[in-house]
Amino acid sequence: MSGDSGTPTNFIRQIIDDDLASGKHATIHTRFPPEPNGYLHIGHAKSIVLNFGIAADYPGSCNLRFDDTNPAKEEEEFVEAIKDDVRWLGYDWAELRFASDYFEQLYDYAVELIRSGKAFICDLDADQVREYRGTLTEPGRPSPNRERSVDENLDLFTRMRAGEFPDGSRTLRAKIDMASPNINMRDPTLYRIRHGLIHHQTGDEWCIYPMYDYTHPISDAIEGITHSLCTLEFEDHRPLYDWVLDNITIACHPRQIEFSRLNLEYTVMSKRRLTQLVQERRVSGWDDPRMPTIAGLRRRGYTPESIRSFCDAIGVTKSEGTVEMGMLENSIRGHLDGIAPRRMAVLDPLKVVITNYPQDRVEALTADNHPKDAAMGSREIVLTREVFIDRADFREEANKKYKRLVLGGEVRLRNAYVIRCDEAVKDAAGEIVELRCTYDPDTLGQNPEGRKVRGVIHWVSATLAKRVEVRLYDRLFRTAHPGRGGSDFLDDLNPDSLKVVGNVVIEPALAEAMPGQRFQFEREGYFCVDPVDSQPGAPVFNRVVSLRDSWGKIAED
RNA sequence: UGGGGCGUGGCCAAGCGGUUAAGGCACCGGACUUUGACUCCGGCACUCGUAGGUUCGAAUCCUACCGCCCCAGCCA
């Protein structure tokens, strides 16, 4: 079971293996339970890959269940976006459920708790409840209403549902232990009153809504979930999860298991912060390519495969850490290297005139779409007397470590001939505006004899090039742990996280690229056609990730 | 000062009383190369938060410390 499909095992899969081996379960049922109050991010992907991955590798299934018990914060837009993201990641749920599907059953179970004397209607307001709850080191005191009769509780709960009481005036609380060292067990709230809200699934049918701690275990049990996987902060809630199921008449009792949530350097992962970035327009939206959201990564050009392999690579444990960006970047580079067709594009064009090349000649050359995968075929590129190369690929002089074009030196134009630079033409300000070179006609597909060329650079015909906009993304924050020292995380935003480069010259074939298509711009990086801002014939390219650059490290000379 | 967790190389992470302490990322060499990419080869923890103890034998068991995270919503 575990270990199939290349997925590494982890302590949760080991528990499942044991449960299968001991006969405790014959099939495994998990669920991914997002609250529809925001978009999914890479941290959710970890949970999705865990839950759906288990369903795929073991006999069993995984449900998608929206934890929609707080209509004040939830919206239909988010449920649709979440469904899209889960599907895009490559998963299909066995059943689509909403916690709100169970509101009637949840209500009935609450009545059962009241009848058995395990829940009561409390008249304390929120401030009073807090006072009565005690502190981390002092026990709480019982609510004055704790010993209300079953009949009175039943009557009051019925009237709560009927809408007779205003918001905040009463709650239904479990009767557990006000002296428990675990604050979650100090008579936790089960239901609160919320008038005037339109729930995206149930409309105005209800004015009382169940709390997470009460809803979650029952929802899991109703669905026959065997292993309820959640993050570490719910560890303290497990006794309550178990208490709820132990005190109502329900056959199923899932096992809650907690794992650590994902933290990634140079970004933020909390929904509160991501929401703030969107609402304050620090980014263009939930799908801004700089966002760690699934929608953002998708638009940026990440593939579902790369996100899944990233999740496999980071593992699942209970220890909290922060994963380096390099891990994520490695995953996407690895996938794109294999599937992205190569193209040439010059980000910072510098004109080169090949003086010994015929004025009107247009030479068709063939370039492989992939250096190691012949099945990806080849394409035609055209060479003309004037071409563009990147400004960074020329220096008037440099030591031997510099493997590009220098004055008097030779370099190969990728997929074409070797050229020698004879002159650098400058303007009045001393800025190089043009290079005058000569080419060696005997170097197409073969190396010159007796000379070694410094290196290979990419280029694009100046006369036939198309110009497009390219967006270069950098980390959204300039510090590995935004807002760490108690400072405002917004102060750590990287002002250079987006660089828009206009007038990037591309080989003609690229002008017809379709939204979502990914390419490797040779020697630059992987780029994806932006699905939002591209126009037919005028693609906008997002840089997914740069190529690994061993030169950049020693370039400071 | 209550309760619940976690501590293995820069990062993630195997390890579950007897292994030379997996693997990946990063990094450092080198090979290859018409992408300074990819690929390939080699290097990279006498040591597992610390200190004791048990044992023939401890990262794995015990004890005590230390550090970090979470919990006092009618949020999830």
Side-chain angles (χ1 to χ4, degrees), chain A residues 228-239:
Chain A
S228 180
L229 315 181
C230 62
T231 44
L232 252 30
E233 66 270 27
F234 292 104
E235 210 149 16
D236 285 341
H237 296 241
R238 193 181 344 126

Side-chain angles (χ1 to χ4, degrees), chain A residues 43-228:
Chain A
H44 291 109
K46 175 178 178 177
S47 176
I48 290 168
V49 170
L50 209 215
N51 280 292
F52 283 94
I54 284 170
D57 294 344
Y58 290 86
S61 61
C62 180
N63 290 347
L64 171 60
R65 181 174 72 233
F66 289 95
D67 234 318
D68 57 347
T69 56
N70 185 4
K73 294 184 176 174
E74 299 152 4
E75 295 172 25
E76 180 67 23
E77 177 202 346
F78 297 133
V79 346
E80 291 310 316
I82 288 168
K83 283 154 68 177
D84 288 346
D85 288 346
V86 172
R87 274 189 291 248
W88 179 75
L89 277 173
Y91 299 103
D92 201 7
W93 43 88
E95 309 226 21
L96 175 64
R97 300 293 182 89
F98 291 83
S100 55
D101 293 341
Y102 313 131
F103 279 176
E104 197 63 50
Q105 290 169 82
L106 258 1
Y107 180 85
D108 290 342
Y109 280 121
V111 169
E112 180 183 353
L113 285 174
I114 292 171
R115 286 192 200 284
S116 61
K118 288 170 179 157
F120 66 99
I121 301 296
C122 178
D123 299 347
L124 261 25
D125 65 29
D127 288 337
Q128 293 171 315
V129 168
R130 189 179 316 116
E131 280 173 38
Y132 276 77
R133 185 158 35 224
T135 68
L136 295 178
T137 52
E138 304 159 38
R141 291 137 47 210
S143 160
N145 312 300
R146 199 170 197 266
E147 301 309 325
R148 253 212 274 249
S149 72
V150 168
D151 285 345
E152 187 182 1
N153 281 321
L154 246 20
D155 173 62
L156 255 14
F157 192 47
T158 302
R159 291 164 62 194
M160 256 173 73
R161 176 176 182 172
E164 290 187 29
F165 311 120
D167 285 9
S169 61
R170 289 181 221 267
T171 54
L172 177 71
R173 291 225 258 161
K175 197 187 288 186
I176 307 180
D177 178 9
M178 288 307 291
S180 173
N182 180 346
I183 291 184
N184 294 302
M185 300 299 270
R186 316 240 263 230
D187 291 6
T189 302
L190 266 25
Y191 269 88
R192 73 286 211 180
I193 301 171
R194 287 289 177 275
H195 287 283
L197 293 173
I198 302 300
H199 187 286
H200 52 98
Q201 301 301 316
T202 61
D204 62 359
E205 186 182 345
W206 295 85
C207 65
I208 57 173
Y209 289 94
M211 300 288 288
Y212 166 87
D213 283 320
Y214 174 69
T215 308
H216 208 82
I218 296 176
S219 301
D220 281 345
I222 288 172
E223 293 175 24
I225 300 304
T226 54
H227 302 267
S228 180

Side-chain angles (χ1 to χ4, degrees), chain A residues 485-513:
Chain A
S487 63
D488 186 349
F489 79 105
L490 293 174
D491 293 340
D492 294 326
L493 239 9
N494 174 10
D496 302 315
S497 60
L498 167 62
K499 191 181 302 175
V500 177
V501 185
N503 287 321
V504 166
V505 293
I506 55 173
E507 56 179 272
L510 233 25
E512 304 312 315

Side-chain angles (χ1 to χ4, degrees), chain A residues 319-555:
Chain A
S319 64
E320 299 175 275
T322 305
V323 176
E324 294 175 339
M325 261 304 172
M327 280 269 198
L328 220 208
E329 294 179 341
N330 178 258
S331 296
I332 188 59
R333 284 195 184 106
H335 188 215
L336 258 23
D337 175 56
I339 65 166
R342 305 302 102 135
R343 293 290 185 271
M344 291 197 286
V346 178
L347 301 195
D348 188 7
L350 172 60
K351 182 178 285 187
V352 169
V353 178
I354 305 170
T355 55
N356 61 337
Y357 198 88
Q359 187 75 247
D360 300 316
R361 185 169 173 190
V362 174
E363 183 174 5
L365 299 170
T366 299
D368 290 336
N369 288 330
H370 192 106
K372 294 186 175 176
D373 184 2
M376 289 180 73
S378 60
R379 67 193 187 281
E380 184 178 276
I381 54 177
V382 292
L383 178 64
T384 51
R385 188 168 196 264
E386 296 190 350
V387 302
F388 286 118
I389 65 169
D390 199 284
R391 233 162 234 291
D393 289 335
F394 174 76
R395 285 189 187 179
E396 290 186 78
E397 50 186 301
N399 60 33
K400 306 130 289 284
K401 283 190 142 189
Y402 186 76
K403 294 162 59 177
R404 311 179 189 186
L405 190 59
V406 296
L407 205 47
E410 282 188 308
V411 79
R412 173 178 293 281
L413 293 182
R414 172 78 164 148
N415 295 125
Y417 303 89
V418 168
I419 59 171
R420 171 187 304 280
C421 182
D422 306 310
E423 180 189 0
V425 182
K426 299 178 182 176
D427 62 14
E431 175 93 350
I432 297 172
V433 294
E434 179 182 303
L435 260 26
R436 300 189 70 80
C437 303
T438 47
Y439 86 112
D440 180 344
D442 296 324
T443 55
L444 187 61
Q446 59 186 343
N447 287 322
E449 284 178 31
R451 294 171 283 148
K452 32 95 181 77
V453 178
R454 278 180 103 98
V456 182
I457 63 174
H458 56 102
W459 57 279
V460 166
S461 161
T463 50
L464 296 168
K466 301 277 185 15
R467 289 178 183 267
V468 295
E469 176 179 316
V470 165
R471 297 170 183 172
L472 304 178
Y473 300 104
D474 197 354
R475 33 189 63 148
L476 225 202
F477 292 88
R478 51 186 168 189
T479 56
H481 306 276
R484 170 161 277 190
S487 63
D488 186 349
F489 79 105
L490 293 174
D491 293 340
D492 294 326
L493 239 9
N494 174 10
D496 302 315
S497 60
L498 167 62
K499 191 181 302 175
V500 177
V501 185
N503 287 321
V504 166
V505 293
I506 55 173
E507 56 179 272
L510 233 25
E512 304 312 315
M514 302 299 287
Q517 278 194 307
R518 304 177 183 86
F519 301 92
Q520 183 198 96
F521 288 177
E522 295 204 54
R523 304 209 309 133
E524 290 289 355
Y526 296 97
F527 293 76
C528 181
V529 181
D530 189 277
V532 177
D533 297 325
S534 295
Q535 297 295 321
V540 170
F541 291 92
N542 293 326
R543 184 174 67 192
V544 187
V545 66
S546 65
L547 248 34
R548 199 175 266 105
D549 179 20
S550 56
W551 165 249
K553 294 168 194 155
I554 54 176

